[in-house]
Amino acid sequence: MLVERAYAKINLTLDVIAKRSDGYHDVDMVMQTVDLSDLIWLEMTHDTRMEVDSTVSHIPLDARNLAVIAAEAFMAHTGIRRGLKITIDKHIPVAAGLAGGSADAAAVLRGLNRLFDTRLSMQELAHLGASIGSDVPFCVFGGCAIARGRGEKLERIEHELKPWVVLIRPPVFVSTVDVYGALPPEHWAKAVASTDMVAALQRGDFSRMVQHVSNGMAATTFHLYPEVGAMEKRIEQVTGGPVFMSGSGPTLFCLVPSRGAGQRIYNALRGFIREVHLCRFI
Ligand code: C5P
């Protein structure tokens, strides 16, 4: 039996470039792993069945779960026929723009590679991950990267910044497919924000980094789900600082340089929002 950590990500930038003929959109985004994580327990069993369990009741345990799809893809790719028990200890908010499901899928790929000593390279795991979801390849590696194509083409970014992140998950269910579908071509990016973001990260300049956080989907999400936009305004009033959105939402976040500053925001918001998390770049 072994355990693998599945880390959430936030988007520091997200630009949608254009719609493609395969139904996806070309994107350009800076993704950053944060230390909010699920734990994925993997265990070989003595039959050939796959058993899936979770610490929470609100996620599916069948082929709608990306972790299950990942396990099936790994077994098919390697030809291994063993029974498997997967236990998902869930902490990352679900369907929230934090790639929680993709992180679980990536952790299953990394974990099974260890469990069965199959020695697939990270590139191979990422390639396998791309067939499961656009964010899975990033989650295989983690860290910081520019993701292009539909999200699967990665350029790793090395930097030393370790700011704190307050994550706020409004109680709204957002459909990524609907947000992409409603995105007007006027919101497609003519220039990408990742260039300035990467420069700020590599200079270790926290203030400049915060200035360059952006999300080309936020206006569309706020239009489709006005509660998310209303929540953003309310948080801005409480904190007096900028509030950003991750992925297609609804998770909002604040970036602060110290744990103390993060804790103050956490305490202020916790009074009226149920799901708030304090975490850090990792
Ligand atoms: O890749 P994934 O399965 O996570 O994507 C879910 C849906 O989100 C896609 O079917 C597509 O409608 C939309 N999508 C997109 N462009 C991307 C990623 C996702 O249009 N780059």
Side-chain angles (χ1 to χ4, degrees):
M1 176 146 86
L2 59 78
V3 64
E4 189 76 32
R5 253 181 212 282
Y7 290 102
K9 63 87 185 162
I10 55 171
N11 286 86
L12 296 179
T13 69
L14 195 176
D15 285 308
V16 178
I17 311 291
K19 192 170 161 68
R20 313 179 352 170
S21 55
D22 62 3
Y24 284 91
H25 290 74
D26 273 322
V27 293
D28 179 292
M29 48 194 186
V30 177
M31 314 241 260
Q32 170 69 51
T33 302
V34 294
D35 65 353
L36 172 66
S37 61
D38 296 341
L39 291 177
I40 308 291
W41 295 86
L42 298 168
E43 192 178 349
M44 275 188 241
T45 58
H46 293 295
D47 53 30
T48 53
R49 286 184 316 127
M50 193 183 303
E51 197 185 325
V52 189
D53 206 353
S54 166
T55 53
V56 296
S57 57
H58 58 275
I59 59 168
L61 299 177
D62 55 20
R64 287 170 296 171
N65 190 313
L66 293 187
V68 176
I69 298 174
E72 280 165 356
F74 183 90
M75 297 309 226
H77 183 76
T78 56
I80 293 170
R81 299 170 66 85
R82 284 293 300 262
L84 197 60
K85 178 161 187 205
I86 305 173
T87 307
I88 304 169
D89 184 2
K90 197 82 203 152
H91 300 279
I92 304 172
V94 175
L98 298 171
S102 303
D104 293 351
V108 164
L109 296 177
R110 286 194 310 264
L112 292 180
N113 199 32
R114 280 205 287 139
L115 188 70
F116 295 117
D117 197 24
T118 32
R119 300 175 193 211
L120 302 187
S121 68
M122 295 287 270
Q123 273 72 20
E124 278 178 275
L125 295 180
H127 188 74
L128 199 52
S131 67
I132 300 163
S134 303
D135 287 342
V136 180
F138 170 77
C139 294
V140 166
F141 295 101
C144 182
I146 309 180
R148 302 191 177 94
R150 66 179 167 90
E152 86 287 15
K153 293 193 180 129
L154 301 172
E155 180 187 337
R156 188 174 176 80
I157 304 299
E158 305 284 350
H159 72 84
E160 303 288 321
L161 274 179
K162 272 197 166 290
W164 292 79
V165 186
V166 186
L167 294 175
I168 304 107
R169 196 241 195 274
V172 181
F173 178 81
V174 167
S175 159
T176 302
V177 176
D178 288 354
V179 178
Y180 269 115
L183 196 76
E186 306 91 81
H187 290 191
W188 293 352
K190 284 161 206 74
V192 295
S194 58
T195 314
D196 285 340
M197 173 54 71
V198 168
L201 288 167
Q202 289 181 335
R203 272 210 302 265
D205 189 333
F206 172 76
S207 309
R208 269 192 103 78
M209 184 216 29
V210 174
Q211 275 168 26
H212 288 294
V213 178
S214 67
N215 185 329
M217 290 182 110
T220 305
T221 300
F222 295 175
H223 176 72
L224 291 181
Y225 309 93
E227 315 90 294
V228 184
M231 180 77 91
E232 185 226 36
K233 290 215 168 52
R234 185 135 183 239
I235 298 167
E236 247 163 20
Q237 280 163 4
V238 171
T239 64
V243 180
F244 309 107
M245 191 182 86
S246 185
S248 55
T251 297
L252 303 168
F253 65 91
C254 310
L255 294 168
V256 286
S258 69
R259 177 193 258 281
Q263 192 68 50
R264 280 192 292 280
I265 293 178
Y266 177 93
N267 293 344
L269 299 180
R270 199 59 186 80
F272 67 98
I273 306 167
R274 203 172 62 86
E275 247 193 292
V276 189
H277 301 269
L278 180 57
C279 56
R280 197 176 188 190
F281 282 20
I282 188 174

